[in-house]
Amino acid sequence: MTWHPHITVATVIEDDGRFLFVEELKNGKLVFNQPAGHLEPDETLREAAIRETLEETGWDVELTGVVGIYLYTAPSNGVTYQRVCFSAKATRHHPERALDTGIVGAPWFSRDELASQPERWRSELVLRCVDEYLAGPIHSLQVVRD
C-alpha cells in the first residue's frame, strides 16, 4: 500500500473574542471547521491559507503567525493530513462573493459556543487549534520557509 499524506492549511481568525468558521456539508452533515484546504501546485503555504480563507468565507486576511503544525489521521477514511495552522486577522469582507461548493456559511463563534457543539466539529482539530491559539505561543511566520 502506498501512503500519500495530504498537505493542508487552516486559519484561525479572531476578532474581539469571536472566531471565524466555515459551516460546510460533509458526508450529508453540516459541520464546522476553520477555513482550510489543500495546498495546490506552485503555491506557498501562506498563499494557500489566504486563498482558502477567501474562497470559503469571503474574507481577505492578513496572516499574523503560525499556531502549529499537526499530523492527523481521519478515523472516517484513514487518510493522513499534515495541517499547517496559521493565525490571521480579517481585513476586508466581500459579502457578494460566492463561497466554495459545499460551504453554507461563515459564522463567527466564541470559543465556548464552538466547544458546546462537539458533534458539529469536522474533526477534533477544530477546537484544538482555537485552544492552542489562545494558549500560545504563536510562532513567527518566519518559521515557514518558501
Side-chain angles (χ1 to χ4, degrees):
M1 178 168 111
T2 305
W3 181 60
H4 297 285
H6 294 245
I7 299 172
T8 63
V9 294
T11 310
V12 173
I13 301 122
E14 180 192 14
D15 185 24
D16 197 26
R18 299 183 66 73
F19 296 89
L20 180 60
F21 294 98
V22 171
E23 186 175 19
E24 61 187 332
L25 192 59
K26 190 69 178 171
N27 299 324
K29 180 179 171 186
L30 285 175
V31 295
F32 298 123
N33 197 9
Q34 275 86 27
H38 289 81
L39 181 68
E40 293 184 354
D42 300 317
E43 184 176 52
T44 70
L45 291 165
R46 293 178 204 191
E47 290 168 343
I50 291 167
R51 175 187 52 77
E52 286 288 353
T53 302
L54 178 61
E55 290 175 354
E56 293 189 351
T57 69
W59 280 92
D60 289 326
V61 295
E62 177 185 326
L63 300 180
T64 57
V66 177
V67 176
I69 300 171
Y70 303 84
L71 197 59
Y72 175 76
T73 301
S76 62
N77 60 14
V79 173
T80 299
Y81 299 89
Q82 179 182 10
R83 175 189 254 208
V84 178
C85 185
F86 292 91
S87 60
K89 65 178 182 177
T91 59
R92 182 172 177 223
H93 189 221
H94 304 273
E96 73 290 348
R97 184 180 173 92
L99 303 181
D100 272 357
T101 303
I103 306 289
V104 299
W108 291 84
F109 293 125
S110 69
R111 184 258 178 224
D112 292 342
E113 289 169 327
L114 177 69
S116 72
Q117 304 177 70
E119 71 284 354
R120 303 269 321 267
W121 305 341
R122 179 154 179 186
S123 79
E124 63 91 19
L125 288 179
V126 179
L127 184 63
R128 183 176 174 193
C129 286
V130 169
D131 283 346
E132 291 180 3
Y133 164 83
L134 290 169
I138 301 302
H139 306 282
S140 167
L141 287 170
Q142 299 303 316
V143 302
V144 178
R145 310 283 181 162
D146 296 329

